[in-house]
Amino acid sequence: MKKSMVWIVLIMILAACNTSPSKSPKVFPEPLPQSQGEQLYLDMKCPACHGYQGAGDGFLAEGLLPKPVDFSSAAAMQSIPDTELEKAIRRGKGIGMPAYPQFTSSQVGALVRYIRSLSQPPAN
């Protein structure tokens, strides 16, 4: 390949890789987490069992007994005190729910608040 052809190809590659701010996407494919609790929920892979909306319908939920709690149900969540949620996060529950004893009190509180928010109607 001629030297001039190599330069042309290199310039074309660099032009295609231009990441100037004017070329960046304006909308992300999914919303960014809005709270520490939501970030923990995603980082710890909670949606695998509880689902992204907290409905207990994650892709692993079908094979679990007991079934994951439906965090999106206001009726179900009213019967679960915060202390029970905190205990399940720290110690795990049954064979499906892993324990997270390494979480700080602040992290557990943030996660409980996020879980509770899943059963609330969206704010307008």
Side-chain angles (χ1 to χ4, degrees), residues 33-89:
Q34 299 296 307
S35 67
Q36 179 188 27
E38 183 178 6
Q39 186 67 58
L40 287 168
Y41 187 82
L42 296 173
D43 287 348
M44 297 302 110
K45 312 291 188 252
C46 301
C49 299
H50 292 282
Y52 283 96
Q53 305 303 314
D57 60 354
F59 70 93
L60 294 178
E62 191 173 316
L64 296 176
L65 285 175
K67 296 290 183 199
V69 174
D70 180 356
F71 298 141
S72 68
S73 167
M77 293 306 291
Q78 284 177 349
S79 68
I80 303 172
D82 286 354
T83 54
E84 189 174 328
L85 292 173
E86 292 166 3
K87 185 172 138 184
I89 292 167

